[in-house]
Amino acid sequence: MSFPVTRMRRLRRTEALRSLVRETHLHPGALIYPLFICSGEGVRKEISSMPGIFNLSIDEAVKEAESVAALGVGGLLLFGLPAEKDEQGTGAWADDGIVQTALKEFKKNRKLDSLVQIADVCLCEYTSHGHCGVVARDGDHYEVENDSSVALLAKTAASLAAAGADIIAPSDMMDGRVAAMRAALDAGGQQLIPILSYASKFASAFYGPFREAADSAPQFGDRRSYQMDGANLREAMREIEQDLAEGADMVLMKPAMPYLDVIRAARERFDVPIGAYQVSGEYAMLHAAFQRGWLEQERAMMESLLSIRRAGADFIVTYFAKDAAALLG
Ligand SMILES: [Zn+2]
């Protein structure tokens, strides 16, 4: 049937009609809020390029997490800023590490029971050089070693699970880390802790503000020898396939908005839960436009999240989680 029998506008006439035929929905339980936890007490330091996002000491992080839980947000993704860094990133797997200590606090607090507490696993926040693994140097040349990094990452995963993490989320992009983490978790009696692997993580300019937030900018070189080339969709599918074969329970893809086609391709190909990370630069650029009055804040925020859901993400890690959850009610 074509016009005039078919008139597409009939179903757009009122909000009630539009609501009835809406294909994609957002809900607070499918949003994950990242937290950047630092040492000290009473620390609440705003990140200049990310309005409303803070480095929080554990006492402040507990308050923030309580407000996140009260809004019905599904979970937290935890990053740590240790007081001290070293070549190997030993703070990442220390029993009294910053995220381990925070997790133990969070787990004592019944108001946080509704939040899935996800621990990011990487070394870059903990290494003095800011790379995601062990660096071997030879004069001017350097290499981020794979297998020695994987051993440390696996130790980190086991330590975070022992401290109470509900999900382990490796973001380092070393080869073979998922299998090593699964083995380390199982050996530590954590057979029921799932792995959410950042399977398709592209080397992206959109991570810029995060590096301030997590104090994790590489001191030399860049991350292109381990994170993926932004031009490659087929390679992303291979990365996901590999991680699933190694035992990943879910996958996370990042960034989100510049890679919606990759999320869609993954959705069509894999039947595991897929998360997408709307990264710091996506948040920062929208906020820059909000500040200038160039975009309408609430509508642009919700449209950005909806686009990621529509592309096929089951859940979204986003700095907008609190604002969006408050709007969704
Ligand atoms: Zn890293």
Side-chain angles (χ1 to χ4, degrees):
M1 284 304 166
S2 57
F3 181 84
V5 173
T6 298
R7 286 181 184 266
M8 298 302 285
R9 289 181 56 188
R10 278 186 202 121
L11 298 180
R12 294 179 201 147
R13 207 162 48 80
T14 65
E15 176 49 28
L17 276 167
R18 292 191 292 272
S19 170
L20 184 73
V21 300
R22 192 158 290 139
E23 299 174 30
T24 310
H25 297 270
L26 291 168
H27 63 102
L31 302 175
I32 307 283
Y33 191 59
L35 280 189
F36 299 100
I37 302 166
C38 64
S39 58
E41 218 172 296
V43 181
R44 195 174 171 83
K45 180 175 155 249
E46 193 167 29
I47 294 142
S48 63
S49 50
M50 300 174 71
I53 306 296
F54 300 83
N55 285 168
L56 301 165
S57 52
I58 292 175
D59 55 324
E60 290 291 325
V62 169
K63 289 184 216 160
E64 184 82 1
E66 285 177 0
S67 74
V68 172
L71 287 163
V73 169
L76 299 173
L77 179 60
L78 306 176
F79 297 94
L81 289 82
E84 280 164 34
K85 302 178 186 240
D86 57 32
E87 273 284 304
Q88 291 222 305
T90 54
W93 62 85
D95 282 341
D96 60 351
I98 187 79
V99 175
Q100 285 84 347
T101 309
L103 276 166
K104 287 173 200 158
E105 276 306 308
F106 287 5
K107 284 290 160 188
K108 283 191 248 167
N109 188 329
R110 296 284 68 78
K111 288 184 196 153
L112 308 187
D113 285 350
S114 64
L115 292 171
V116 178
Q117 294 172 29
I118 308 172
D120 177 89
V121 181
C122 199
L123 299 180
C124 53
E125 297 119 64
Y126 301 90
T127 51
S128 45
H129 46 70
H131 277 288
C132 302
V134 176
V135 169
R137 288 189 178 91
D138 179 12
D140 276 351
H141 179 77
Y142 77 94
E143 176 153 344
V144 178
E145 290 183 347
N146 192 83
D147 299 11
S148 57
S149 302
V150 166
L152 301 183
L153 289 159
K155 209 152 65 162
T156 303
S159 156
L160 290 163
D166 298 311
I167 295 178
I168 290 301
S171 63
D172 51 277
M173 291 301 281
M174 300 297 134
D175 288 325
R177 79 271 170 77
V178 173
M181 284 181 195
R182 187 70 268 160
L185 289 170
D186 292 357
Q190 306 286 356
Q191 292 90 343
L192 292 179
I193 298 299
I195 295 177
L196 165 66
S197 82
Y198 290 66
S200 120
K201 179 175 179 180
F202 291 93
S204 171
F206 289 91
Y207 303 150
F210 175 92
R211 291 179 183 166
E212 181 199 341
D215 185 26
S216 64
Q219 299 303 303
F220 50 85
D222 57 41
R223 300 204 167 113
R224 287 179 224 205
S225 75
Y226 40 107
Q227 296 177 354
M228 280 193 308
D229 187 327
N232 296 356
L233 185 147
R234 290 193 299 265
E235 186 186 353
M237 299 303 111
R238 289 192 67 204
E239 277 284 1
I240 296 171
E241 212 166 77
Q242 285 289 323
D243 281 9
L244 294 177
E246 288 179 28
D249 300 278
M250 304 181 269
V251 294
L252 189 60
M253 313 187 57
K254 76 189 271 195
M257 285 161 67
Y259 295 87
L260 293 176
D261 58 322
V262 188
I263 296 171
R264 165 52 50 188
R267 174 73 294 154
E268 284 170 3
R269 189 148 159 180
F270 301 104
D271 289 333
V272 294
I274 293 175
Y277 196 148
Q278 185 182 43
V279 302
S280 59
E282 301 177 60
Y283 178 82
M285 70 180 179
L286 285 167
H287 262 284
F290 301 157
Q291 280 175 3
R292 285 166 177 76
W294 289 351
L295 286 176
E296 204 181 310
Q297 181 154 350
E298 288 181 357
R299 286 188 59 200
M301 167 180 78
M302 297 311 263
E303 191 174 333
S304 73
L305 295 170
L306 199 61
S307 74
I308 299 165
R309 277 281 290 151
R310 196 187 58 242
D314 298 298
F315 56 92
I316 306 172
V317 180
T318 173
Y319 301 98
F320 287 124
K322 281 170 62 186
D323 296 340
L327 266 186
L328 291 164

